Amino acid sequence: MDEIINKIAKSGLITIDLEDEYKKINPEIKILDVQQFLFEGLILKEKDFRDKLKNHDWSLYKEKYVHIICSEDTILPGWTFLLLKTYLNNSKGSIVGNKKDLNSFILNQFIEDLNLEGFRNQRVIIKGCGKLEFNTQIYLNLIEKLQPVVKTLMYGEACSTVPLYKKPRDKK
């Protein structure tokens, strides 16, 4: 009986699966709803807003990712989120936006911290297709980080990739 050989495993390809990396990070996320600081939950009155911020328990967000939302459809001045951020200095990071933006923010920190030595002159696949939603910009950030050091970059699955980049051979 012939032995089944996993050619993909022996190929020396390195796969980066952003969904797996997100799971490894296992981010602790706290939602911060601006609505709780608004007068009658709808109107931003500056003095009232500032008083509520001063009396809020900001330790709830320490070492957590903070997803800032406003559950009410209300018009807020731009400085609203800037002032909120000044109270979130002990968080791992904060973002205003949707879930996709939050996931992207967290993954971007993974990319920034990525140690490139294990990828030097390697053939790398950036895995596509997953359940986790994030912005396409994350792929662009990953490519920007990897391209200077890798031999080749591909996108997809090991059995079906799209070539993205191949390091030019040195001219002699």
Side-chain angles (χ1 to χ4, degrees):
M1 183 174 201
D2 290 331
E3 180 183 347
I4 297 173
I5 298 171
N6 185 341
K7 291 181 181 180
I8 294 171
K10 290 187 172 192
S11 68
L13 294 171
I14 298 173
T15 300
I16 297 177
D17 183 341
L18 291 174
E19 194 164 322
D20 282 351
E21 297 304 329
Y22 187 90
K23 289 175 186 171
K24 287 177 194 172
I25 295 168
N26 190 23
E28 195 171 345
I29 299 165
K30 287 288 284 182
I31 294 175
L32 176 61
D33 191 345
V34 177
Q35 185 266 339
Q36 67 184 307
F37 304 110
L38 302 178
F39 176 73
E40 295 184 0
L42 290 169
I43 301 165
L44 192 146
K45 291 173 103 178
E46 186 177 351
K47 184 181 180 332
D48 189 49
F49 184 71
R50 287 180 180 272
D51 288 342
K52 287 180 181 178
L53 292 179
K54 285 178 186 168
N55 295 314
H56 187 70
D57 181 7
W58 295 101
S59 67
L60 299 169
Y61 309 96
K62 186 175 182 177
E63 295 300 313
K64 295 177 179 69
Y65 291 97
V66 182
H67 186 189
I68 304 170
I69 64 163
C70 188
S71 59
E72 286 297 324
D73 189 18
T74 188
I75 297 171
L76 299 169
W79 57 262
T80 305
F81 303 104
L82 305 179
L83 184 57
L84 274 170
K85 179 62 178 170
T86 65
Y87 286 91
L88 293 168
N89 56 356
N90 288 327
S91 69
K92 281 192 174 180
S94 56
I95 186 155
V96 176
N98 59 33
K99 184 73 171 169
K100 208 180 211 185
D101 296 331
L102 175 68
N103 294 341
S104 299
F105 176 74
I106 293 167
L107 282 170
N108 201 54
Q109 290 192 325
F110 155 75
I111 293 168
E112 287 176 11
D113 296 340
L114 189 62
N115 181 349
L116 295 176
E117 283 312 306
F119 299 100
R120 192 165 303 284
N121 295 315
Q122 298 297 317
R123 297 168 57 214
V124 178
I125 298 172
I126 299 170
K127 186 175 184 236
C129 303
K131 294 177 183 162
L132 184 67
E133 291 185 59
F134 50 86
N135 299 322
T136 304
Q137 184 64 44
I138 291 304
Y139 288 119
L140 303 181
N141 295 352
L142 185 57
I143 289 168
E144 184 177 332
K145 181 98 177 200
L146 291 171
Q147 189 171 344
V149 299
V150 299
K151 182 177 181 179
T152 61
L153 261 179
M154 297 163 273
Y155 173 80
E157 304 290 331
C159 60
S160 174
T161 60
V162 175
L164 301 174
Y165 168 78
K166 186 172 184 175
K167 187 179 196 175
R169 291 185 176 201
D170 291 331
K171 294 178 182 175
K172 292 184 181 185

